[in-house]
Structures are given as C-alpha cells and as structure tokens.
Amino acid sequence: RLNPFNRLQVILQHLKMSKNTDSTADVLLEKRGGAGIITLNRPKALNALSFPMIQQIYPQIKTWEQDPETFLIIIKGTGGKAFCAGGDIIAISDAGKVGGRLTQDFFREEYILNNAIGTCKKPYVALIDGITMGGGVGLSVHGHFRVATERTLFAMPETAIGLFPDVGGGYFLPRLSGKIGCFLALTGFRLKGRDVLKAGIATHFVESEKLPALEKDLIALKSPSTENIADLLNSYHMKSKVDQEKEFVLDEHMGKINSLFSANSMEEIVKNLKQDGSPFAIKQLETINKMSPTSLKITLRQLKEGASMSLQEVLTMEYRLTQACMRGHDFYEGVRAVLIDKDQSPKWKPAALEEVSDEFLDDCFKPLGNNDLKL
C-alpha cells in the first residue's frame, strides 16, 4: 500500500500526464498565452502519428475550440527532421493480419480528427518543418495556415504501399492547379521547400531558424483574429529570402502533366506516357509501374469523385476505401516490402492494371451500412 506521501506523488504524476506536458509523452498539449500548442513528440519515429496520439489530439482541439481564452492552435513536430512522416502504418498492418480492430478504429478516429481540423473555428497554424507525408499532411493541410520551410519534404506516397492518398487527399489534391494533384497522388512525387508553397499545399514559407521567433510572436498576439495571424505570417513570409529566385520544380513539366494526366483511366495515362516518350514521361512511367495497380485505380477514381465533394463526403468515401484495402492483399504486401523487409519488391495481386476490374472498384466504393464513417 502507498503511504500518503507516495500516493500524493502518484496523483501529481497522473495530473502532470493528463495535462500532457511530460517531455516523454508522444504528444505534448499545452496552453501558452492565447495559443493552444500541439507538439508531436516521437522524433525517433519521425513523429509518426499513433492511435493514442490521435485520441489525445482530437478532444484537445475540441476543447480549445470552445475555450474563449484560446485564440489560435499551433501544431508542430520535435527533432528537426520531421513534422510528421505519416500514420503508424506498421501497427495497422499487424492488426489487420490478426483481424484486430485497429484497422477500423485508426482510420475512423484519424478522419474524424482531419475533419475537426478542416472545420476548426479557431485559426489553425501548422508549422510543417521537415518531412510531412501521409498522416502528417492530414494534420496540416486542412487547417487555415500551413507554414513550410526550406526543410519541408512533402509527399503522398501511399500507392507504393497498396493504399491511396487518404486523410482527405481526395479533397485537397484535385483542387490544386491543373493536374498536379493527380500527378502527386499517382507517383508519390516529393516536393521540397518552397515548392510545397508553389504547389499550393503550404500557405506561407519561413526559414526554419525563424520558427521559434514566429511562434513567440504568434503566442504574444493579443486576442488575435485570422487577419492578425495572416498579417504576422505574411510579414515573416515576405522576409524569407531562401530559394526565392528558384523556379517551381514542376514548372517546365506542367504542360505535360496537365495533358498526360488528364486521361480518364489509368490505362490511358500509361499509354499517354509511353507515347510521349520524353525523359520526364519515361521517368513517371517507371515510377507508376512500381505502384500497386489496385491502388492506382482506386486513387484515380478517388480524385475524380472527390473533386466535386465536400471534405466530409470525401472522408466518408475514403473510409470505405481503407476498409476495402484492409480486406485486400496489396496493403499488407506493400507494407512488408517497403517498411518491414525493405526489399522494395512487392508482388502485387493483381499484377497488371488491366486485371483490376470496374466491378472490383465499384465494390471498394460501396457504403458500409452501419460501419460507415459518421461525421
């Protein structure tokens, strides 16, 4: 039995944990000035988003949204390498192999969180310094402000692991200019630094070394409005000179991207790339040939349908698609090849685009009845 002093220590420890400013916690949630600050704190795992982290971040955002003393929400990562490299995919794959609930619960709770960010009544500022992929994109892209730095590395690489660009990818990707969203979704192409801003994914660009000062200035704002925050971010953005002169990495290829990726089917896109035959087209063809044919077909249709849907409708659709992927073969094989064994040679089933039928695709997009995502 604990003596009263030890019991008091246990209670204090528990209180400290529940406030979650314990520096060993996977996510730190704190209030500084008028700002609620979410810090993703798994630097060794590149701040990958785990299920317990989702379960802590969501209620905190909802609480701050209602709190008259909280004027803005800031989200950032620790360690200097990554904002958030994605969701905890290996854990989901492990659960799927043994019929665990995580294959349902993780995506459900993650998408509810994505929607909370997309509908947040308080200005939401994501400091996307470092690697920002998959689930990390979901934690940032739907918010009001996304601040990229010279260290930002953006990608939606899901087609390489038998998944599709989820977390609302079906909403934001088709809304980027031209066919750039389709290109990024199918190929997993990586954008770096200022290019993340030029593609329309980030709203501002600030040097990484200026982020602590920016954060301090954001916290110091007295009852800030969205306009005040925008003004402050703009002033930092205007002063950032890194890579200012460099042209957008995809600039010279935009004509090709817009024409080659505007086809109505994956087979046609592949045919377009082959016929074009330019070094750029051949390179994209090589990349696409490594991806899961099932994922490619799901993704193309996801973006087509998502282009005219609300964020809520997209997330509902994407939840259905995750469950189809959990029932299939390619997700587990992709995770094995890319993340576990790292042999980079997945054996996709089916192995060819032509073998992924429209009937199969229709089935992936079907409502799940009582198991549908409710937003």
Side-chain angles (χ1 to χ4, degrees):
R1 299 216 13 197
L2 297 172
N3 67 38
F5 178 71
N6 290 64
R7 194 182 305 139
L8 183 64
Q9 276 194 310
V10 168
I11 291 166
L12 286 172
Q13 186 60 29
H14 181 73
L15 283 171
K16 189 171 148 199
M17 282 300 293
S18 66
K19 283 257 59 76
N20 236 348
T21 46
D22 168 28
S23 62
T24 59
D26 283 351
V27 58
L28 313 177
L29 304 163
E30 54 186 325
K31 184 82 186 301
R32 305 219 319 257
I37 300 172
I38 302 164
T39 308
L40 308 175
N41 189 38
R42 294 179 74 198
K44 287 197 178 77
L46 299 176
N47 298 324
L49 186 63
S50 67
F51 188 53
M53 289 163 77
I54 295 169
Q55 290 177 302
Q56 291 170 59
I57 296 168
Y58 174 75
Q60 188 62 74
I61 287 177
K62 285 300 183 195
T63 304
W64 282 333
E65 201 175 18
Q66 299 304 318
D67 174 27
E69 301 297 306
T70 303
F71 302 107
L72 78 153
I73 296 171
I74 298 169
I75 186 166
K76 60 180 182 169
T78 53
K81 273 197 175 159
F83 164 68
C84 171
D88 209 337
I89 293 293
I90 294 176
I92 299 167
S93 171
D94 289 346
K97 288 181 211 156
V98 296
R101 292 233 7 135
L102 195 67
T103 53
Q104 296 164 50
D105 296 346
F106 186 97
F107 293 110
R108 187 185 299 275
E109 302 298 322
E110 183 182 26
Y111 294 3
I112 289 171
L113 172 57
N114 297 150
N115 185 52
I117 293 165
T119 56
C120 190
K121 308 239 188 333
K122 300 285 166 80
Y124 183 95
V125 183
L127 305 176
I128 53 170
D129 183 32
I131 300 165
T132 305
M133 296 185 185
V137 176
L139 289 177
S140 52
V141 76
H142 305 298
H144 302 87
F145 303 109
R146 287 90 62 189
V147 182
T149 74
E150 75 283 0
R151 300 194 294 198
T152 304
L153 179 63
F154 164 95
M156 293 298 277
E158 288 80 4
T159 55
I161 55 161
L163 210 54
F164 57 92
D166 65 327
V167 297
Y171 183 77
F172 82 87
L173 288 164
R175 284 164 175 79
L176 299 175
S177 70
K179 286 286 162 191
I180 193 168
C182 182
F183 166 73
L184 293 171
L186 297 173
T187 63
F189 186 88
R190 297 176 165 203
L191 292 170
K192 298 185 176 117
R194 217 176 257 272
D195 287 336
V196 180
L197 171 82
K198 289 176 178 161
I201 292 147
T203 56
H204 295 80
F205 180 89
V206 174
E207 278 104 334
S208 56
E209 61 180 43
K210 299 281 189 346
L211 289 182
L214 172 60
E215 195 183 322
K216 217 170 123 193
D217 285 348
L218 283 167
I219 292 164
L221 285 171
K222 293 277 170 270
S223 62
S225 63
T226 305
E227 290 73 36
N228 299 134
I229 293 165
D231 289 344
L232 180 61
L233 291 172
N234 288 340
S235 74
Y236 270 82
H237 174 79
M238 297 314 280
K239 287 189 217 124
S240 290
K241 299 287 181 259
V242 173
D243 294 343
Q244 212 171 19
E245 305 310 313
K246 270 171 78 177
E247 68 166 42
F248 181 41
V249 65
L250 294 172
D251 245 358
E252 55 178 315
H253 306 299
M254 276 319 295
K256 284 194 191 299
I257 287 172
N258 291 339
S259 62
L260 302 175
F261 285 84
S262 62
N264 278 320
S265 71
M266 261 329 290
E267 287 89 343
E268 277 177 76
I269 289 176
V270 167
K271 197 172 115 205
N272 285 349
L273 290 166
K274 278 183 182 153
Q275 281 177 344
D276 182 274
S278 65
F280 176 77
I282 297 302
K283 201 170 169 202
Q284 304 325 311
L285 191 59
E286 283 169 5
T287 301
I288 282 172
N289 281 336
K290 292 185 186 133
M291 304 306 191
S292 154
T294 302
S295 292
L296 291 168
K297 284 206 166 175
I298 285 177
T299 299
L300 189 61
R301 179 156 159 193
Q302 169 208 2
L303 298 200
K304 271 208 183 66
E305 302 208 356
S308 56
M309 287 178 167
S310 68
L311 176 60
Q312 291 71 36
E313 288 167 334
V314 165
L315 290 167
T316 303
M317 166 181 73
E318 290 180 357
Y319 184 72
R320 293 167 184 167
L321 295 175
T322 62
Q323 298 310 294
C325 291
M326 296 303 111
R327 295 192 297 269
H329 164 273
D330 280 7
F331 171 67
Y332 303 100
E333 174 58 9
V335 171
R336 180 205 67 73
V338 176
L339 301 172
I340 299 173
D341 298 342
K342 299 190 165 82
D343 58 28
Q344 310 303 329
S345 48
K347 305 280 177 282
W348 304 124
K349 286 184 197 163
L353 286 168
E354 294 70 32
E355 294 166 26
V356 184
S357 71
D358 289 343
E359 293 73 43
F360 171 80
L361 280 181
D362 291 341
D363 195 51
C364 294
F365 283 80
K366 273 204 184 105
L368 300 169
N370 287 336
N371 292 326
D372 252 337
L373 177 66
K374 321 252 187 313
L375 291 172

